[in-house]
Amino acid sequence: MTSQKMICQGLSCERGGRRVLSDVSFELDGGAALLIKGPNGVGKSSLLRTLAGLVSASAGTIALEGGREDCRLGEQSHYFGHLDALKPALSTIENLRFWQEFYEPHSLPNGTGAIFPDLEAALEAVGIGHTTDLPSGYLSAGQRRRLSFARLLSVPRPVWLLDEPTSALDAASEERMLGFMEQHMQMGGMVIAATHLPLSLANVGELNLSAVQGPAGGSDATAEDTQAGMDDWFYD
Amino acid sequence: MTLYDLANPTFFLKLVRRVLPWLIGACVLVSAIGLYMAFFSAPEDYQQGNTVRIMFVHVPSAWLALFCYGMMSVSSIGSLVWKHPLADVSAKAAAPIGATFTFLALFTGAVWGKPMWGTWWVWDARLTSMLVLFIMYLGIIALWKTFDDPAKAAPKIAVLTLVGSLNLPIIKFSVDWWNTLHQPASVFRTDGPSIATSILVPLLVMALAFTLLFVAMHLSAMRNEIFRRRIRSMRVRVAAKAPAAAAGRVVGAAGVAGGN
Amino acid sequence: MTGSMTNTRDAAHWARALFIREFRLGVRVGGGALIGVLFFLAVVTVFPFGVGPDMKMLARIGAAVLWIGALLATLLGLDRLFQADREDGSLDLLVMSGRSLELVVLIKCAAHWCATGLPLVLAAPVLSLFMNLEPVAMGAVTLTLLVGTPALTLFGAVGAGVTVALRRGGVLLSILVIPLCIPVLIFGVSASTAAVSDFAPFKAPLLFLCAISVLAVVVGPVAAAAALRNAGD
């Protein structure tokens, strides 16, 4: 199998006692990107966290065709969220090396590995090569963000889940990051990004999350759904 | 998933409404019988006199304190394995009741201890185990109170409750060991199979009365907790006044097939 | 066959990486090992002020004082065990990595113990001089602490997993964990005092202590992982 396909069907989830996603479906081919759009609080982050397996879906299926069958999607994905997952007490390269050694690499369908398997090269590529041995606590917010992004470059994983990837980045860094996304897609990888900025990528689709009527308001069909969440159970 | 259908809250509340009056009635009746037997038909102890009658409250309280932890553990398995909200509610509702019974056991133990040992508290093995259990109950209650969202709290507290139930026998064993090491003569040696029928029967009746009391209180506490969560759920919905959920629709593009 | 061998080698590889990272953080962050030992010293020092400097009595309660000091010092740093990872987003990545979360917890505990528990054990002989312990009792306390403190860390990990999402979970964690640690304390102190007494058995409580530690190695990571697994949302 030389290409992969992500299929997500009827995904629903709830957080904090509130249904934030209901019946989200999409398909995404290898080498393509999907931008998740929508107003604030509509569930963009929740969708990414659900795909990553950090939030359990109350209904629906997620599958990566052509991927490892014994692994969930989240285990074959990089999740790049609001938090940088960096330890200020560790040096820049120690931070990056840990994730490279800890993460199981999942090479892309055509067999290519990481974009920058060499850590120093990865740091150089995101423009913080001069900070290698500095504690990452000395880095600026933008530099920390780039160091965190270097994790995606040093461990191969076919799916990138990016939550507001360009926040705290200047125009040049944003440009560079877009370049890496393009590169990842050319290697057959997939990118799913939640953003309200236009990301100028080729081969990109949009998933517009829009608010729909929740289970409140006496919609019996949802309330009687056996998959209904805890809150529906009490609301009844 | 069948559990969801079997025990939905409306059904449960209906059940509680129907069962509760009978339970309370039975509890009052059995308590009356038990108390009568405890005070009038059971003989005085030739050594302890009338103080021995404290036992008819003390021992059932201690039993119920343990029984209630067992109930909480079973509920915790329910909320971890089947993730059923009713199990969460049951575990949460049981904690304060269990703590109360444990307190009652400790309190009656102290009252009993004063005339017997001349002091309110001795580090007797059983009392000490009860004290540890009391702290565990209070910790669990405090934990329930600290979480904002009961749905998030439930699985975590279930884990803690189960670890506690694994530990309880070890705690009991270690406290017994510790106790025999430091004071070989235990005071509670009168019980066991040699207990006289005239004492045993009222004790069992009182234990039944306490169990009925527990079931009645547990069911009403569960009912209250369901109401509480309904209020919470309504408030969350009000806060999220804007339609709550999002549905995804793909706007077609290269490489992306449209979903339904 | 080769598959399982590469799996084992792979597991050793990431486990080593995690251990090194956790150990480094344990030593570097927040005063590291030193702060626990200092607290231990402070607790042990405060006892003679409370009970008086009678050397005979101090020798009698010394083992207990050291054990209580070690218990409190162990509880001290536990609230950050998973909370720090949760706050900076590492916990999300650890949970979704596909690595066994139980093993991750076990390794984190091992590293945490090496960075904070082991120094307490090493400090125990020195502190037991303050408590006027005989050399035999000194050895016994150190040995029981060596065997018992891992159990404290592992039971503590359950509390840390349960309270990971709570902003001020530290005190609550101690309240939850102390009852679980009572058997460890009882057998630890029993064995320590028995070493210098002709009447009490030494081997039995020591073996019970070992048994509890072994149990904690199983129960702690499984329970803590179960508590952490849905910490993300």
Side-chain angles (χ1 to χ4, degrees):
Chain A
M1 176 98 48
T2 51
S3 81
Q4 294 180 328
K5 187 176 197 178
M6 187 197 295
I7 302 168
C8 172
Q9 268 182 334
L11 208 60
S12 299
C13 92
E14 63 226 44
R15 294 176 72 181
R18 196 163 67 88
R19 180 163 287 206
V20 285
L21 291 176
S22 101
D23 196 22
V24 176
S25 301
F26 65 85
E27 291 182 4
L28 185 63
D29 288 325
L34 183 67
L35 296 187
I36 304 169
K37 303 232 160 189
N40 274 342
V42 81
K44 298 193 291 287
S45 295
S46 297
L47 176 56
L48 285 178
R49 291 180 70 82
T50 312
L51 293 174
L54 291 165
V55 175
S56 48
S58 52
T61 54
I62 312 166
L64 184 64
E65 274 184 8
R68 284 266 300 271
E69 301 212 333
D70 55 335
C71 292
R72 283 176 288 120
L73 176 72
E75 297 168 23
Q76 306 174 62
S77 308
H78 273 302
Y79 174 70
F80 183 68
H82 297 282
L83 299 165
D84 295 324
L86 300 175
K87 297 291 180 189
L90 298 181
S91 76
T92 302
I93 196 138
E94 281 172 343
N95 267 306
L96 190 55
R97 185 180 298 127
F98 166 68
W99 290 113
Q100 192 188 38
E101 291 180 348
F102 181 77
Y103 260 33
E104 186 176 2
H106 288 278
S107 49
L108 275 69
N110 59 3
T112 40
I115 299 179
F116 290 105
D118 180 58
L119 297 178
E120 309 226 357
L123 291 176
E124 206 65 59
V126 295
I128 49 172
H130 58 291
T131 65
T132 310
D133 295 317
L134 290 180
S136 63
Y138 296 166
L139 269 52
S140 72
Q143 287 174 320
R144 290 171 58 82
R145 200 88 186 120
R146 282 183 270 161
L147 169 55
S148 189
F149 192 78
R151 184 181 78 233
L152 280 61
L153 306 177
S154 57
V155 183
R157 290 199 158 189
V159 182
W160 288 7
L161 304 171
L162 315 174
D163 199 352
E164 297 292 352
T166 54
S167 67
L169 291 182
D170 55 23
S173 308
E174 189 179 321
E175 197 64 35
R176 198 154 32 189
M177 190 182 275
L178 283 174
F180 292 132
M181 290 185 209
E182 295 277 10
Q183 205 175 337
H184 177 64
M185 285 154 62
Q186 275 159 18
M187 288 158 63
M190 295 171 215
V191 173
I192 299 181
T195 176
H196 42 249
L197 297 172
L199 289 182
S200 44
L201 288 167
N203 198 16
V204 65
E206 281 189 12
L207 177 68
N208 275 306
L209 289 182
S210 56
V212 296
Q213 190 58 48
S219 87
D220 299 331
T222 334
E224 279 171 18
D225 182 1
T226 49
Q227 298 273 6
M230 297 251 178
D231 249 59
D232 300 327
W233 193 86
F234 290 109
Y235 202 80
D236 197 70
Chain B
M1 276 311 138
T2 48
L3 266 172
Y4 262 97
D5 310 327
L6 279 176
N8 84 331
T10 320
F11 178 79
F12 177 79
L13 290 175
K14 210 185 284 171
L15 188 80
V16 171
R17 215 174 0 232
R18 197 165 303 161
V19 169
L20 207 54
W22 292 98
L23 265 175
I24 293 173
C27 177
V28 170
L29 188 71
V30 179
S31 306
I33 297 171
L35 285 173
Y36 176 82
M37 290 170 88
F39 277 102
F40 300 106
S41 81
E44 276 186 19
D45 189 84
Y46 75 101
Q47 266 182 327
Q48 303 175 26
N50 263 327
T51 30
V52 78
R53 300 193 197 281
I54 295 174
M55 180 178 75
F56 296 114
V57 177
H58 175 78
V59 174
S61 300
W63 282 346
L64 261 295
L66 283 172
F67 178 80
C68 191
Y69 202 92
M71 184 74 199
M72 252 164 56
S73 306
V74 172
S75 306
S76 297
I77 294 174
S79 59
L80 280 180
V81 177
W82 293 288
K83 299 186 169 49
H84 195 285
L86 196 62
D88 302 354
V89 168
S90 163
K92 186 178 180 187
I97 304 174
T100 311
F101 277 120
T102 317
F103 176 77
L104 205 58
L106 285 171
F107 180 77
T108 50
V111 172
W112 195 359
K114 182 64 179 161
M116 276 177 64
W117 307 313
T119 167
W120 293 107
W121 181 260
V122 287
W123 289 93
D124 168 78
R126 290 172 195 217
L127 280 178
T128 309
S129 297
M130 274 291 147
L131 181 62
V132 177
L133 183 64
F134 188 54
I135 296 172
M136 288 169 73
Y137 270 126
L138 293 187
I140 288 171
I141 294 170
L143 200 53
W144 275 114
K145 295 233 180 279
T146 317
F147 278 96
D148 300 325
D149 181 358
K152 273 185 205 168
K156 295 187 166 53
I157 299 176
V159 167
L160 187 82
T161 309
L162 288 177
V163 172
S165 67
L166 268 179
N167 246 284
L168 268 178
I170 303 175
I171 293 173
K172 179 85 179 78
F173 171 69
S174 67
V175 169
D176 284 348
W177 161 281
W178 162 83
N179 194 250
T180 48
L181 215 62
H182 291 275
Q183 51 172 81
S186 180
V187 189
F188 290 88
R189 280 288 148 88
T190 47
D191 60 347
S194 62
I195 195 163
T197 331
S198 58
I199 303 240
L200 187 64
V201 172
L203 198 57
L204 288 177
V205 174
M206 282 306 284
L208 179 64
F210 269 60
T211 311
L212 286 169
L213 180 65
F214 166 74
V215 176
M217 287 199 297
H218 189 219
L219 285 180
S220 26
M222 282 173 76
R223 183 193 57 192
N224 295 348
E225 180 62 21
I226 289 175
F227 287 151
R228 215 172 285 131
R229 291 206 191 180
R230 274 193 180 172
I231 292 170
R232 187 182 183 281
S233 154
M234 286 171 180
R235 284 179 168 168
V236 168
R237 267 155 222 264
V238 170
K241 211 168 22 183
R249 291 290 177 271
V250 170
V251 183
V256 183
N260 60 331
Chain C
M1 196 65 193
T2 46
S4 74
M5 266 172 70
T6 44
N7 276 348
T8 320
R9 197 163 347 113
D10 185 43
H13 184 68
W14 69 257
R16 190 174 144 268
L18 180 62
F19 183 88
I20 291 173
R21 168 193 194 247
E22 293 298 322
F23 184 75
R24 271 193 189 131
L25 288 172
V27 174
R28 285 182 199 172
V29 176
L34 196 64
I35 203 90
V37 174
L38 272 178
F39 183 78
F40 193 21
L41 172 68
V43 170
V44 171
T45 310
V46 106
F47 263 87
F49 293 116
V51 301
D54 175 5
M55 288 313 250
K56 261 195 194 132
M57 179 172 56
L58 287 182
R60 200 156 53 78
I61 64 168
V65 170
L66 288 171
W67 255 96
I68 291 171
L71 171 64
L72 296 179
T74 305
L75 291 175
L76 192 65
L78 274 172
D79 58 327
R80 298 299 293 164
L81 186 59
F82 304 118
Q83 213 171 41
D85 283 333
R86 183 188 150 87
E87 281 165 12
D88 67 20
S90 305
L91 189 63
D92 284 343
L93 299 185
L94 293 174
V95 169
M96 66 173 278
S97 66
R99 303 301 191 192
S100 151
L101 194 54
E102 288 79 9
L103 212 49
V104 168
V105 171
L106 185 64
I107 292 162
K108 276 180 78 75
C109 288
H112 186 263
W113 182 80
C114 287
T116 61
L118 194 57
L120 298 178
V121 177
L122 297 177
V126 183
L127 293 182
S128 53
L129 291 176
F130 290 147
M131 286 286 135
N132 191 28
L133 291 190
E134 305 172 25
V136 180
M138 206 185 273
V141 170
T142 313
L143 177 68
T144 52
L145 282 176
L146 183 68
V147 177
T149 45
L152 300 182
T153 303
L154 288 158
F155 283 132
V158 180
V162 167
T163 58
V164 67
L166 302 177
R167 204 174 294 278
R168 302 189 62 80
V171 181
L172 192 53
L173 179 139
S174 300
I175 297 171
L176 300 175
V177 169
I178 283 175
L180 304 179
C181 290
I182 285 175
V184 181
L185 190 69
I186 287 178
F187 291 124
V189 175
S190 296
S192 309
T193 46
V196 286
S197 148
D198 299 331
F199 308 106
F202 170 71
K203 209 167 141 198
L206 185 68
L207 290 179
F208 285 135
L209 191 63
C210 295
I212 292 176
S213 285
V214 171
L215 182 77
V217 168
V218 180
V219 172
V222 170
L228 286 175
R229 200 156 266 136
N230 48 9
D233 51 344

